[in-house]
Amino acid sequence: MDRPSLNDLAAFAAVASHRSFRRAADVIGVSRSALSHAIIGLEGKLGVRLFNRTTRSVSLTQAGANLLARLDPVLQDLDRALDSLSEERGTPSGPLRINANKSGAAILLAGIVPRFLDIYPDVELDLVSEGRLIDIVDQGFDAGVRLLEAVPRDMVAVKFGGDVRFITVAAPSYLQGKPTPKTPDDLNAHRCIRQRLPSGKRYRWEFARRGAEIAIDVPGNLTLDDNDLLVQAAAAGSGIAYVPEHFARPLLDAGRLVSVLEDWCPPIPGLALYYPRSRHVPSPLRAFIDLLKQWNGAGAAV
């Protein structure tokens, strides 16, 4: 039997991890057809079928599952060995893939990323901005960035950027001649600008005061899917919007927006970078985390 190459085994592990030839091909940087041929060749060398394939799904056979169980620790040990060589050389190198929401990506780009790339020029940072909360392991990312409350519980989280606050805002022209909301229930008598989440669901506005919490599916005839657009629509007098405070702050300071229900909008834990607890942390990600912690300790200024 011809012994498979390390590239063949790594290709198998990628398809097994992502359960998709397309996603695995994207992650390892080859064409889907090349990856498919590699797997067919590997199965030929081993003399067993490793995957069950249909037009809609890819799953491991029992032989494939047995191989993956033995192979995964070996590949992780290899990653550690290569990382140790990188550390001996004194500088991390290689790819670092981070999936972040728009706010998280903007904060990292304004703060830590320029410094990180200056210090570690051999790291190739791939920062993907995406609204959906995805499975970062399945999608081939080293880490993700989301609000701390949205981080999966089996992940290690590193908080950064301070707390955030969602507030209700409106243009003075919209509120003129109308009763200003005093409680969240008062929003039912107003025109609100609703938000569509990346999942397709409509966001329920969340409020809290003195231990009481309430979530409301507010009324309104305009729905948007971007915080910047929500702020613009509110400033134009289209209704009341509910957005992170930093999106609205410039227009609040300029007097084009005012905040209502202030005492119902407490701060919540902000953004966190998160990564799998059970997997080897590659040296580029360790370096990024160390710099992120320095940034936090210096008051968000490296």
Side-chain angles (χ1 to χ4, degrees), residues 4-274:
S5 69
L6 181 59
N7 285 340
D8 292 337
L9 295 174
F12 160 74
V15 177
S17 174
H18 299 290
R19 298 294 195 272
S20 164
F21 279 83
R22 178 184 58 79
R23 287 201 295 268
D26 289 343
V27 168
I28 63 179
V30 301
S31 69
R32 182 176 175 179
S33 61
L35 181 58
S36 179
H37 280 98
I39 296 300
I40 292 171
L42 176 62
E43 290 175 328
K45 290 176 183 178
L46 297 177
V48 295
R49 179 177 287 277
L50 301 173
F51 294 102
N52 295 312
R53 307 171 180 84
T54 71
T55 56
R56 295 190 176 185
S57 67
V58 177
S59 61
L60 286 165
T61 63
Q62 187 59 53
N66 292 340
L67 176 60
L68 182 65
R70 291 176 176 271
L71 183 61
D72 196 45
V74 174
L75 291 176
Q76 290 200 42
D77 283 344
L78 178 59
D79 285 340
R80 292 187 184 96
L82 294 174
D83 269 351
S84 68
L85 290 176
S86 175
E87 290 168 359
E88 287 181 12
R89 200 175 67 229
T91 176
S93 62
L96 173 58
R97 302 189 74 229
I98 299 176
N99 183 284
N101 57 15
K102 182 179 176 182
S103 295
I107 290 173
L108 291 178
L109 285 171
I112 183 177
V113 168
R115 179 67 171 156
F116 178 79
L117 296 178
D118 283 344
I119 298 174
Y120 305 108
D122 293 330
V123 174
E124 299 174 7
L125 177 59
D126 185 3
L127 180 59
V128 176
S129 174
E130 184 168 12
R132 295 180 303 124
L133 182 62
I134 66 164
D135 183 334
I136 58 171
V137 175
D138 179 65
Q139 298 294 321
F141 289 93
D142 298 298
V145 173
R146 290 296 184 276
L147 286 174
L148 182 61
E149 63 184 22
V151 173
R153 293 189 177 183
D154 60 343
M155 297 284 173
V156 178
V158 180
K159 190 174 179 297
F160 69 93
D163 291 343
V164 298
R165 188 165 171 254
F166 285 76
I167 61 174
T168 45
V169 296
S173 59
Y174 168 80
L175 292 172
Q176 188 174 6
K178 299 181 180 67
T180 300
K182 302 298 183 185
T183 70
D185 285 338
D186 293 340
L187 294 170
N188 289 309
H190 282 268
R191 191 168 70 240
C192 298
I193 307 167
R194 300 186 289 188
Q195 183 174 16
R196 183 78 61 188
L197 297 172
S199 64
K201 295 181 179 180
R202 196 164 58 225
Y203 181 61
R204 292 166 63 88
W205 296 10
E206 299 173 339
F207 300 95
R209 189 180 69 168
R210 299 173 189 166
E213 298 181 359
I214 185 171
I216 300 178
D217 186 7
V218 295
N221 57 2
L222 174 62
T223 301
L224 300 170
D225 64 355
D226 180 86
N227 284 312
D228 286 321
L229 295 178
L230 287 163
V231 169
Q232 291 178 32
S238 297
I240 300 176
Y242 183 74
V243 295
E245 184 174 7
H246 66 272
F247 280 94
R249 178 48 54 193
L251 295 185
L252 287 168
D253 292 342
R256 295 181 57 193
L257 289 174
V258 295
S259 177
V260 298
L261 297 175
E262 276 282 324
D263 54 346
W264 282 92
C265 299
I268 63 172
L271 293 165
L273 179 137
Y274 64 95

Side-chain angles (χ1 to χ4, degrees), residues 282-302:
S283 58
L285 178 57
R286 284 205 306 273
F288 194 90
I289 291 169
D290 288 345
L291 198 60
L292 186 64
K293 290 178 178 178
Q294 293 177 30
W295 189 50
N296 281 340
V302 176

